[in-house]
Amino acid sequence: ICTRIEHVQLVASIGSTIAKSLGLNADLVAAIAIGHDIGHSPFGHHGETVIDGIIKSYDINKKFWHEGNSLHFADNIETLIDYEGYEQNMNLTYAVRDGMICHCGEVDDNWVYPREEFVDLTTLNNASEINPYTFEGCVIKIADKISYLGRDIEDAITYNILDTQQQKELERMIQRMFKDAHLSRLNHTALAHKFTVDLCKNSSPQKGIGFSQEYFEIMNEIKSFNFWNICSHKRLYYFKRYAKLVIETIFEVLLGYYDGKNTINKIQKDALYYPILTSHYKEWLEKYSNLKPRNPHYKNKILYDLESIDDYRASCVDFISGATDNFAIKIFNEITGF
């Protein structure tokens, strides 16, 4: 139920609250939060796995991970229109870019402390390879986890996918946080408030950003519970198969259009059948490839040489990874419908 944009807003809200309480740069926290998931693929982490599988099937020497893709989108894909009407790359600061690629909340250590060394962010290969460079980045790393734990539980309760035994187990976990724990009164706001207050009370310049030992243990318990009982629920099995089919079908159709410099003409021939897919992908190539003549309003980086099949495959991956769930499904329905 919770969409990616809602999650982003939750991270921004919680992160800004923590930043103001700790005397940090709330604007920097907000900027990192708003951009931290722009590289997320459709269908969440499962879509991430599917796209990584596509890349591996072509022996491309890279790995698809959404934190790295967020940096790629921030550096190379997302643009702003300047005062003269030209599309320009955003040219974000190092602190914002660092916070985006280092935001992964899947960490088991309680205290997160900023690293001291400068790192070329484009050389990173894995999530949580290094700590963020700023305290603000560390805040987002924790706020990300606070934001999804309670919201996942809310969605599970709404969908009624937790049986009686699982509900009792969850209530047992949160009894340490609430005197009269009952799922009917449990929501994201209540959990987020408790975790945020505890974090603000226990974080310091000496220790870093972190919780009391009690709340850290509770958070890990809830995280484990959510993974095994919500994220791994049997109802998701068939949806994951569907999501895989959607992504792989779109990639296969796009790849079939490749014809070097004649690719655009080949795409246009299918405009009658797939008007949404062809118009959006044609616009994508016009903006990011070395097609000539180029729209004079595009002053952003050229990413793809259409004479290179590897570059073209990269354009397919970028296009799909920038789609929302609904847009990917809309394109799939267009491809499979008559």
Side-chain angles (χ1 to χ4, degrees):
I1 299 172
C2 181
T3 62
R4 183 66 49 189
I5 191 62
E6 181 185 342
H7 166 71
V8 164
Q9 295 295 338
L10 292 174
V11 175
S13 176
I14 293 170
S16 295
T17 299
I18 296 170
K20 291 172 184 176
S21 174
L22 300 181
L24 299 174
N25 186 334
D27 290 334
L28 175 55
V29 166
I32 297 170
I34 292 299
H36 82 282
D37 267 354
I38 58 172
H40 232 304
S41 59
F43 312 117
H45 292 282
H46 179 62
E48 193 173 0
T49 301
V50 174
I51 292 177
D52 189 51
I54 290 174
I55 290 174
K56 285 183 170 62
S57 69
Y58 285 99
D59 295 323
I60 299 173
N61 189 27
K62 65 176 291 188
K63 173 184 177 182
F64 185 87
W65 48 301
H66 82 268
E67 296 91 347
N69 203 44
S70 286
L71 181 67
H72 169 53
F73 265 65
D75 286 351
N76 305 312
I77 302 292
E78 299 294 343
T79 58
L80 292 173
I81 300 177
D82 65 20
Y83 69 96
E84 294 181 320
Y86 296 118
E87 296 268 0
Q88 301 273 13
N89 292 105
M90 293 194 296
N91 193 27
L92 298 176
T93 65
Y94 182 83
V96 177
R97 296 170 63 248
D98 172 84
M100 291 170 64
I101 196 170
C102 296
H103 81 260
C104 179
E106 306 305 315
V107 289
D108 296 322
D109 296 329
N110 186 8
W111 301 103
V112 183
Y113 199 88
R115 69 177 193 279
E116 295 183 357
E117 72 278 7
F118 171 85
V119 173
D120 181 353
L121 301 174
T122 62
T123 65
L124 299 180
N125 295 308
N126 297 288
S128 293
E129 188 174 330
I130 55 175
N131 275 352
Y133 193 57
T134 64
F135 273 109
E136 288 79 4
C138 295
V139 166
I140 292 301
K141 197 173 180 70
I142 304 299
D144 188 31
K145 187 185 293 188
I146 294 175
S147 300
Y148 72 69
L149 286 181
R151 200 59 186 83
D152 284 353
I153 292 173
E154 263 197 42
D155 286 356
I157 293 172
T158 302
Y159 276 133
N160 196 30
I161 67 172
L162 299 177
D163 60 30
T164 302
Q165 182 179 348
Q166 291 169 328
Q167 292 177 26
K168 289 181 179 179
E169 183 182 354
L170 185 56
E171 287 179 344
R172 177 190 60 77
M173 292 179 192
I174 62 176
Q175 279 174 355
R176 295 159 68 183
M177 301 173 70
F178 303 94
K179 291 182 180 179
D180 184 20
H182 195 280
L183 286 189
S184 63
R185 295 190 294 274
L186 180 65
N187 56 44
H188 161 77
T189 302
L191 280 176
H193 174 74
K194 287 282 189 178
F195 281 123
T196 300
V197 170
D198 184 83
L199 184 82
C200 291
K201 285 181 178 179
N202 288 279
S203 298
S204 71
Q206 293 75 33
K207 294 186 295 184
I209 308 298
F211 301 97
S212 65
Q213 187 60 34
E214 180 184 19
Y215 270 66
F216 178 62
E217 292 173 359
I218 295 172
M219 171 166 277
N220 283 340
E221 281 189 27
I222 294 176
K223 176 185 170 184
S224 178
F225 175 88
N226 283 10
F227 177 80
W228 292 111
N229 298 287
I230 301 175
C231 302
S232 303
H233 194 273
K234 62 182 181 182
R235 285 182 61 184
L236 291 175
Y237 171 74
Y238 297 104
F239 181 78
K240 286 180 177 180
R241 289 175 61 183
Y242 168 72
K244 185 173 188 290
L245 178 63
V246 170
I247 292 175
E248 290 182 345
T249 299
I250 296 172
F251 182 82
E252 184 178 331
V253 171
L254 293 179
L255 194 59
Y257 289 132
Y258 183 68
D259 191 16
K261 292 182 178 180
N262 194 46
T263 298
I264 292 294
N265 293 331
K266 198 169 180 180
I267 292 173
Q268 287 177 325
K269 290 180 179 179
D270 263 2
L272 179 63
Y273 305 112
Y274 312 139
I276 300 173
L277 173 62
T278 54
S279 63
H280 280 85
Y281 190 57
K282 177 175 173 287
E283 182 180 342
W284 185 274
L285 291 180
E286 288 172 345
K287 185 173 182 179
Y288 299 110
S289 76
N290 60 347
L291 279 172
K292 294 181 180 179
R294 196 182 193 211
N295 186 324
H297 289 286
Y298 290 147
K299 300 295 184 181
N300 57 297
K301 299 175 186 176
I302 293 176
L303 304 179
Y304 320 119
D305 178 358
L306 284 188
E307 293 192 55
S308 165
I309 183 61
D310 288 337
D311 278 13
Y312 184 78
R313 287 171 183 152
S315 76
C316 298
V317 168
D318 287 345
F319 179 76
I320 294 171
S321 71
T324 62
D325 296 22
N326 288 339
F327 184 69
I329 291 171
K330 188 175 183 179
I331 292 175
F332 177 75
N333 289 340
E334 182 180 69
I335 292 171
T336 58
F338 288 91

